[in-house]
Amino acid sequence: MVRSGMLGLLAAGAVFFPGLFLVAKEALEHLMGWPEGDAVVLSTRHWLTESYILFATPYFAYDVFAMFLCYWYKLQVKGHEEAGPDGRSLRAAVSGFLHREVLMVLHHVFMVAFCFPASL
């Protein structure tokens, strides 16, 4: 179920980024006298768009680690044999996590390895 706070953030982003584009475009056209084409090109390359890529990329690495920690502690709470303190059990937990969350981990790796460089 989607929380209202999540919908609020989604709505804020849906208004903020197009709004920022329109304000920048109109300001460049009317205040600076730029042609519409030039104003559009500059308005879509706002610093926030490029900075967001740099800011958000480390999140994908963090998120995989955070998902593993949640998986690891759930195993401990449930009392599974994988959750022991020795290294072999940690390896089993990592293996189990990767087996269970393979698509999510691949998605995160793809975003960092391919989408990040392509975006820059």
Side-chain angles (χ1 to χ4, degrees), residues 16-31 43:
F16 179 78
F17 287 104
L20 184 61
F21 165 75
L22 290 174
V23 166
K25 180 181 138 340
E26 293 298 317
L28 290 172
E29 280 185 275
H30 293 92
L31 297 177
S43 297

